[in-house]
Amino acid sequence: MSIRILAVDPGYEKLGYAVIDRDANHLVAIDYGLIETPRNEPIHLRLKRIYDELMNIVDLLSPQELALERVYFFRNVSTAIGVGQSRGVTLLIAAIRGMKVYEYTPYQVKQSVTGNGRATKSQVQEMVKRLYRLSEAPKSDDVADALAIGWCHGVFARTSEVLNR
Amino acid sequence: MSIRILAVDPGYEKLGYAVIDRDANHLVAIDYGLIETPRNEPIHLRLKRIYDELMNIVDLLSPQELALERVYFFRNVSTAIGVGQSRGVTLLIAAIRGMKVYEYTPYQVKQSVTGNGRATKSQVQEMVKRLYRLSEAPKSDDVADALAIGWCHGVFARTSEVLNR
């Protein structure tokens, strides 16, 4: 039986997402991309765009689980508030559509894709390309991060299944 | 002609709201209260409760404008993320229902109700009671803050109308 995962990196001005199928032996990226919103638009309208586009993806592909990164550090308060707002909309969609939610630390995410919890962004980009056998590495950090978060959840969820037996 | 304002203080674990009517000479509190969510519930379900309850108030009372406080300081990152998430859901409702959004600094809010931008919480509670002629001061800081934010918006919006003439 396969589980479909939505992994999201809810950035301040754009949001990276990945939809991943996990069966007993594989993790396959079904869809991935970036939701961007116009810089000159008021924040509430930008949040509605994120809501509409992400809800559209969820209704098209019906993922059962949402994976997110837990974040600890920000340049400043307004960045943290901005990410929190985008995260709030993402979590709301999960609740409305009855998805389970899982969180991982940035260290766990990097560790799971590169073997190194302190890997660089370009190492993460290169490794998600290899792990998912993509034709090219995702250009956007946010998309690479979403794919990495999905990989991390796929690996951890599999382990915890084994542990629960 | 009167304008109906929704003022919100989107806290980490609870959300204070106030619905205020503003005509040429008065600001009247139509409804105010606290939306609280169970501490033991996962955050995405708590955000959905906030969404459902606040949307319910909006659909019942049809406010045209949303007033919020702009926040600059938090104890730590997870508080900022928590407030951001609650704020994201609030802003999404405003966008879905076509409300205009206005933001004020904590200094502007305190200044408008007490005359002192550095007033204490209990001074704000006491002054919103007097200004709105409530039978008692709101017990919750979050509710008093929402009433104060609404007052601030009512006062500023009136001034800017005069200025625009």
Side-chain angles (χ1 to χ4, degrees), chain A:
Chain A
M1 209 194 77
S2 115
I3 293 283
R4 186 161 284 181
I5 300 160
L6 172 67
V8 175
D9 183 25
Y12 181 53
E13 295 182 324
K14 52 204 173 193
L15 177 147
Y17 70 88
V19 180
I20 292 145
D21 275 356
R22 174 173 65 83
D23 66 19
N25 301 305
H26 298 93
L27 292 168
V28 181
I30 301 298
D31 188 22
Y32 51 93
L34 200 62
I35 299 176
E36 287 182 281
T37 61
R39 272 169 185 265
N40 57 348
E41 231 178 48
I43 185 63
H44 62 300
L45 301 183
R46 296 173 72 176
L47 289 170
K48 183 167 182 299
R49 281 184 195 263
I50 290 173
Y51 179 81
D52 289 341
E53 288 193 43
L54 196 59
M55 187 62 109
N56 197 35
I57 291 161
V58 166
D59 284 344
L60 215 62
L61 298 175
S62 305
Q64 297 119 302
E65 299 179 350
L66 170 67
L68 290 171
E69 214 169 50
R70 185 173 298 147
V71 271
Y72 296 103
F73 177 76
F74 288 99
R75 280 192 306 275
N76 54 51
V77 165
S78 62
T79 308
I81 290 286
V83 171
Q85 289 175 171
S86 173
R87 223 170 182 275
V89 166
T90 304
L91 287 165
L92 179 66
I93 290 173
I96 290 175
R97 287 295 179 254
M99 298 163 70
K100 287 190 188 170
V101 180
Y102 300 83
E103 270 193 332
Y104 300 94
T105 65
Y107 189 94
Q108 288 174 310
V109 171
K110 286 175 179 170
Q111 172 93 37
S112 75
V113 293
T114 69
N116 171 11
R118 303 186 196 287
T120 63
K121 282 184 180 296
S122 64
Q123 286 171 324
V124 170
Q125 280 175 308
E126 189 50 38
M127 280 308 297
V128 295
K129 180 195 162 199
R130 285 203 224 168
L131 291 167
Y132 288 108
R133 299 167 191 275
L134 310 177
S135 55
E136 52 180 341
K139 283 176 197 72
S140 154
D141 284 350
D142 302 294
V143 176
D145 281 350
L147 284 162
I149 293 162
W151 189 269
C152 179
H153 177 54
V155 171
F156 269 82
R158 198 183 291 155
T159 316
S160 60
E161 268 179 18
V162 175
L163 289 175
N164 289 338
R165 243 176 244 154

Side-chain angles (χ1 to χ4, degrees), chain A residues 43-45 47-48 51 71-74 77 80-81 83-85 87-89 91-92 94-96 99-101, chain B residues 43-45 47-48 51 71-74 77 80-81 83-89 91-92 94-96 99-101:
Chain A
I43 185 63
H44 62 300
L45 301 183
L47 289 170
K48 183 167 182 299
Y51 179 81
V71 271
Y72 296 103
F73 177 76
F74 288 99
V77 165
I81 290 286
V83 171
Q85 289 175 171
R87 223 170 182 275
V89 166
L91 287 165
L92 179 66
I96 290 175
M99 298 163 70
K100 287 190 188 170
V101 180
Chain B
I43 185 64
H44 62 300
L45 301 183
L47 289 169
K48 182 168 182 299
Y51 179 82
V71 271
Y72 296 102
F73 177 76
F74 289 98
V77 165
I81 289 285
V83 171
Q85 290 176 171
S86 173
R87 224 171 182 271
V89 166
L91 288 165
L92 179 66
I96 290 175
M99 299 163 70
K100 286 189 190 172
V101 179

Side-chain angles (χ1 to χ4, degrees), chain B residues 93-106:
Chain B
I93 290 173
I96 290 175
R97 288 296 179 252
M99 299 163 70
K100 286 189 190 172
V101 179
Y102 300 83
E103 272 193 330
Y104 301 94
T105 65

